[in-house]
Amino acid sequence: MENVYLPTAHKVLLVEQTTDLEWLFRVEYNESSVNAGQFMQVSLPKVGEAPISIANFDLEKGYLDFLIRKVGKVTDEIFKLKAGDKVFLRGPYGNGFPIEKYKNKHIVMIVGGSGIAPVRPIIEYFTKHPEEMKSFKIIVGYKNYESVIFEEEFSRWRENIEILVTLDNAESARDLGKTEEEFHEGMVTKYIPDLKIENMDETEFIVVGPPIMMHFACLEILKLNVPVEKIWVSFERKMSCAVGKCGHCKIDETYICLEGPVFKYDKAQKLLD
């Protein structure tokens, strides 16, 4: 009988610091299919494991990316790894974003902070296949300039995608000579009312970030008369076992690790702790 809890060892290919707290880890992987929005259980022997969103992947080249924040025992030890070391993975788990449903549509994405990680595969896909979308607009918000993730990729993404970057506090960005055109000030919700929706029937909305940010961002989107079934969110929550056995992620009768983490908003708005 297969042991669903048994992880396998994978070589770390690259470790890259993105902010003081978040580092990008590229790990060798070519075992099975992966979808944007899914997560893996990342572990180290005798230390523990943690659910981490897949921040990008290329199975032909044989790798997965993880954007990992240093927040506890497991991630503290992961941050000691370097290229050539081994890390253990099991997964992928959960339902991801249905990229097929976004093809030939207008895509609007509202992202907060490290929420950029699980949607990065979507951005990369349509960056490489612009002919498969009608348009793509992103509003991405960070706390301050020091917390900006993937800034070096913005210029490449902007070749086919309209990106508006906001900072809760833009003072440090201004001190470095960054313009208001590059980094607007305010929360993402400030700029949602300015969105021009060309065709509601052909538009899909993706909202990912801290729960409080997603809540108010979705409320602003609904003010644009967007149907709830047109909004997709990633609802990550205490996914300990990832296979629906431990019950830590369960809300009412919904196991987030099995039915999520990606939900349509008509389902997610009812998932209240």
Side-chain angles (χ1 to χ4, degrees):
M1 181 181 294
E2 180 186 4
N3 184 347
V4 296
Y5 298 105
L6 187 64
T8 56
H10 298 261
K11 183 168 70 173
V12 176
L13 301 175
L14 171 72
V15 179
E16 184 177 275
Q17 183 172 356
T18 56
T19 71
D20 288 343
L21 288 179
E22 289 102 357
W23 290 15
L24 186 75
F25 291 80
R26 178 162 292 179
V27 178
E28 189 175 58
Y29 186 87
N30 51 19
E31 291 185 7
S32 61
S33 62
V34 178
N35 293 320
Q38 289 187 301
F39 66 97
M40 303 284 284
Q41 288 286 354
V42 181
S43 63
L44 292 173
K46 301 181 181 180
V47 178
E49 66 178 5
I52 306 292
S53 296
I54 297 167
N56 203 18
F57 58 89
D58 189 324
L59 298 185
E60 291 185 2
K61 294 182 179 179
Y63 71 81
L64 301 177
D65 282 349
F66 298 98
L67 182 72
I68 299 179
R69 174 176 287 186
K70 189 176 184 182
V71 292
K73 180 180 72 172
V74 178
T75 53
D76 285 352
E77 292 301 315
I78 290 175
F79 267 50
K80 296 177 183 178
L81 299 177
K82 57 186 182 298
D85 290 340
K86 298 283 185 170
V87 69
F88 287 74
L89 304 177
R90 61 182 179 92
Y93 294 115
N95 288 313
F97 292 98
I99 286 183
E100 289 297 320
K101 290 184 180 293
Y102 306 149
K103 291 182 179 180
N104 301 310
K105 299 282 186 67
H106 299 285
I107 305 165
V108 179
M109 185 178 285
I110 314 297
V111 185
S114 58
I116 193 76
V119 298
R120 186 170 172 237
I122 304 173
I123 300 171
E124 289 290 352
Y125 181 86
F126 286 106
T127 296
K128 296 172 183 175
H129 302 92
E131 74 284 355
E132 295 186 19
M133 66 180 181
K134 293 184 181 297
S135 69
F136 200 151
K137 298 178 182 179
I138 300 175
I139 301 176
V140 54
Y142 301 97
K143 185 178 296 184
N144 49 40
Y145 182 70
E146 290 73 22
S147 62
V148 173
I149 302 167
F150 300 139
E151 180 185 4
E152 69 282 358
E153 300 185 24
F154 290 167
S155 58
R156 178 171 58 85
W157 292 347
R158 282 191 170 110
E159 293 178 8
N160 297 301
I161 297 171
E162 182 181 327
I163 304 177
L164 187 152
V165 185
T166 77
L167 303 175
D168 295 353
N169 184 341
E171 184 177 345
S172 57
R174 302 292 178 260
D175 291 342
L176 293 171
K178 303 292 182 178
T179 67
E180 188 174 338
E181 186 65 27
E182 295 174 286
F183 294 95
H184 295 67
E185 188 160 37
M187 298 183 181
V188 294
T189 48
K190 175 181 177 180
Y191 298 93
I192 293 174
D194 298 330
L195 287 169
K196 301 295 187 292
I197 310 303
E198 299 177 35
N199 186 325
M200 194 69 74
D201 292 336
E202 296 183 348
T203 305
E204 301 287 339
F205 292 78
I206 300 167
V207 183
V208 182
I212 193 68
M213 167 263 163
M214 289 197 295
H215 173 72
F216 286 104
C218 287
L219 291 181
E220 288 298 324
I221 291 171
L222 291 173
K223 291 178 184 178
L224 302 175
N225 296 318
V226 177
V228 290
E229 64 271 15
K230 287 288 192 176
I231 306 172
W232 304 79
V233 300
S234 181
F235 201 99
E236 298 181 6
R237 180 189 186 273
K238 302 177 184 177
M239 296 178 290
S240 298
C241 73
V243 293
K245 299 298 183 183
C246 73
H248 286 104
C249 71
K250 188 180 179 185
I251 301 177
D252 295 328
E253 299 305 314
T254 300
Y255 288 86
I256 304 300
C257 67
L258 298 180
E259 298 182 48
V262 175
F263 294 94
K264 284 187 179 182
Y265 188 63
D266 55 353
K267 170 79 170 181
Q269 66 182 338
K270 301 171 186 175
L271 297 176
L272 301 176
D273 284 323

